[in-house]
Structures are given as C-alpha cells and as structure tokens.
Amino acid sequence: MSNAADPDAVGETPLVELAVDVDPTVYGKAEWFNQPTLPHGGGSIKTRIAKAMIDAARASPEPLDGRTLVEASSGNTGAAVARFGRRYGLDVEIVLPDDAGAGKIAAIEDAGAETTFVDDERGYDAYVERCRETVRSDPDRYRYLDQYENPANPGVHAGTTGVEIWRQTDGAVTHFVAGAGTGGTLVGVSRALADRGVDVYGFEPATDEHDIAGLKHMHSQGHYVPGTFEPRAVETVSFVSTDTAYRYVRRLYRAHEDRRLRIVDPGQWDRSFVRDHLRVDGDFLVGPSSGACLAKVDRLAELGVLGADDVVVVPLPDRGDRYSERDLRGSGATDDA
C-alpha cells in the first residue's frame, strides 16, 4: 500500500511567497503537498479532484464492485485516480498521451493501474473519446469518472481550495490566476471567492500542440470545451505559449537558487516538513503550468491590472521531478528559449 493515497493528506496545502519581478505580492499554493510523501513528486492539484470524483462514485447508488474506473489524463489526474483506486481496491485504467512525463507514468503504473496510450498529436479530445469508446464497449464493466464533465471537479475547489486561499491570506487576496484544463480550478475558486471581491483570471495554451501538461487549448473551431468550464466565472481567458511557460519556470528556479521561500502558511503540515519537501535535490522546481501562471501574472501587471497593493495567488500544480525529461533549469538554453 506504499503507493496508495491517504485521504487525510489531501487539502490544506502550504502557501509560499514567490520571488517575482512584479509589483503585487504573489503567493503560490504548493499542491504537491496533497500526498507529499508519495514517490514521483508526491501529489498534485489533481489529487483533490480524483478523491472527490471517487468519493462521489462510491457514494452513488450504482455499485462500483467489479467495475474498472476509466479516466483520460495527461498524467496528474491519472496518478491520483490510480492511487485512490489502489486505496479502495478498485481496478483503474488511465488513457494517456504517449508523450506523458516519465514520472507521471511511473506513478500510475506503480499504483497498479493499466495504462493505454494515444498519439499525443491527436490532442485531449482523442483521449476523452477513447474513454467513452471503452465504456460503450462494455458499460457493465467500466465507469468513466470524466473530470471534464464531473461536477465534483469544480465542487471540490469551491469547497476547499478557494476557502483555504481566503483563510491563508487572511482575506487579503485580490486576484487568483490559473490555467484552464478542465476549468475546474478556475470555476471552483471563483465560486468560493468572487462574491468576496476576488478577480479570477484564466489562460490556456496558445495552440493545440503544446507542452504545458494538464492544460487544454479550447478556443479554436472544433475543439471540445469541457462542461466543467464556465467562461463567466473568469474575468478573461488569454493564451500562453509553451516557450513562455518554460521560460518562467526557469526564472523561478534561478530566483530561488540562493533564497529561502517564505512559508506564509504551512497548511496541515508543520513548517520543517514543508521546508523539506519544497525542493527537488535542493532546487525549487515546478511544472510548466506553474510557469505559465507566472507569465500571466507578469502580463496582467504590464497591462496595469495588478498594482503594488494587490495580493495574487497562483496554484503550483505539481513539482518539477514529474518532468525529469524536460529542461526545467535551463541547462544549455537561454532565457528566451
């Protein structure tokens, strides 16, 4: 059970202050502290929705006994579903792009789940369709959790993530910025904080062919828009390129090479534990979607949307050791690469 999920180790993740070259104060919510002691980079922001979707499925009148849970994922949701499936003795099949991160694939397979790979050039829509085809082929054998349509996805962020952000900033947060994959994080946090005067800004990859795992390009003709995404929940949705996302990941790494991160709030963990799990072999490394969040913050500051008195919170969805085959430190690359 060493790679099985612990339901008590989900939520109440730490909030840290980031060293960024913009006027507003920027905090990052370190989401790998959902299950931080598990291998392959711990958990991720998707751990929250995996637990919520499986809890809802287990509580539904339709029995799960003997059924295999199916989910489409670029890796993080799949790893979390596999781990909770193992916890509850459920079989799991994850449909992945064939270029998914090695750490993510290892986390899924180590938890005992079956992996099915789809050509990454076909895009997220193909992964979703493969899951639907699997269920249609034998509806009595499979249950599709469907993070793209499941109301438990935005629901858990409304009930936990947004509430935590408000409490951890003592109500000082003015803006929340995140990327759109399913849209669950944006929509859920907006539900929790919009009535408290917090503006929510979203973004998505600039093109369908991108390497910002966990996010989805939606706003081109013919692309599937998840039912969990509600455009009215955000102020605007703009675009961030893959190159820009990686550039900001590398900037964040360099900014914290010799600087301790200030722990604003440790969440459910003690401060020494948080300090021990913030870095990868001594380096502060986060995944590409974190870099894209900071690029969006920078752009909002340039446009005058953000000022010196503002407090911005961004999710840091996962830790960089899930992307061991990606260049997150900028070795042999310029800052503009």
Side-chain angles (χ1 to χ4, degrees):
M1 295 290 287
S2 62
N3 203 14
D6 176 4
D8 294 329
V10 180
E12 295 295 336
T13 54
L15 193 72
V16 298
E17 186 170 0
L18 301 176
V20 291
D21 190 22
V22 292
D23 287 336
T25 300
V26 180
Y27 296 143
K29 197 146 172 59
E31 287 294 288
W32 58 89
F33 281 85
N34 293 302
Q35 316 288 327
T37 61
L38 289 175
H40 310 296
S44 74
I45 196 167
K46 298 293 190 175
T47 304
R48 295 180 188 258
I49 71 168
K51 178 180 183 298
M53 292 191 300
I54 291 180
D55 283 349
R58 294 175 68 224
S60 71
E62 189 176 354
L64 285 180
D65 293 345
R67 291 197 176 193
T68 296
L69 300 180
V70 180
E71 187 55 76
S73 170
S74 62
N76 280 338
T77 304
V81 169
R83 286 163 168 171
F84 276 105
R86 182 169 187 173
R87 172 81 184 195
Y88 298 123
L90 300 169
D91 291 332
V92 173
E93 178 181 343
I94 303 299
V95 178
L96 292 151
D98 58 10
D99 67 341
K104 296 179 179 183
I105 296 171
I108 293 168
E109 294 181 343
D110 287 356
E114 180 181 347
T115 50
T116 298
F117 295 96
V118 175
D119 183 353
D120 72 286
E121 293 186 358
R122 295 179 60 194
Y124 274 27
D125 296 4
Y127 320 151
V128 171
E129 183 55 32
R130 179 62 177 267
C131 289
R132 291 173 177 166
E133 289 173 356
T134 297
V135 174
R136 285 196 295 266
S137 71
D138 195 342
D140 293 329
R141 180 182 173 188
Y142 296 100
R143 171 77 68 87
Y144 181 23
L145 292 176
D146 197 357
Q147 61 175 316
Y148 295 94
E149 300 290 337
N150 197 317
N153 176 355
V156 73
H157 290 297
T160 66
T161 314
V163 174
E164 292 168 29
I165 289 169
W166 184 260
R167 178 184 58 77
Q168 290 178 310
T169 62
D170 293 325
V173 57
T174 59
H175 297 77
F176 178 75
V177 175
T182 64
T185 304
L186 286 168
V187 172
V189 171
S190 178
R191 288 177 185 172
L193 298 182
D195 289 344
R196 298 179 178 182
V198 178
D199 291 332
V200 176
Y201 285 84
F203 63 88
E204 64 184 64
T207 64
D208 188 42
E209 295 182 6
H210 66 88
D211 191 20
I212 312 177
L215 303 187
K216 185 180 189 302
H217 178 77
M218 293 181 280
H219 288 87
S220 293
Q221 187 174 2
H223 282 78
Y224 163 60
V225 177
T228 47
F229 180 62
E230 299 172 5
R232 66 179 181 275
V234 299
E235 298 294 322
T236 61
V237 175
S238 58
F239 302 101
V240 175
S241 71
T242 295
D243 286 351
T244 298
Y246 277 83
R247 184 166 71 247
Y248 276 83
V249 166
R250 294 162 187 162
R251 285 185 184 180
L252 198 62
Y253 154 68
R254 288 196 296 272
H256 294 94
E257 279 187 285
D258 301 312
R259 183 183 308 196
R260 283 170 65 93
L261 285 97
R262 183 171 79 88
I263 301 170
V264 179
D265 187 288
Q268 66 166 291
W269 312 99
D270 64 56
R271 289 179 181 270
S272 62
F273 181 90
V274 173
R275 187 74 60 196
D276 289 343
H277 289 79
L278 274 175
R279 293 178 177 267
V280 182
D281 298 328
D283 293 332
F284 185 60
L285 293 177
V286 292
S289 60
S290 298
C293 285
L294 294 172
K296 175 67 175 180
V297 171
D298 204 1
R299 181 59 177 156
L300 290 173
E302 289 176 357
L303 293 172
V305 175
L306 302 174
D309 295 332
D310 286 318
V311 175
V312 185
V313 175
V314 300
L316 304 177
D318 54 9
R319 207 171 68 174
D321 42 349
R322 291 191 169 219
Y323 305 88
S324 58
E325 68 281 14
R326 291 348 188 231
D327 181 13
L328 301 180
R329 293 176 176 85
S331 303
T334 67
D335 191 49
D336 295 326

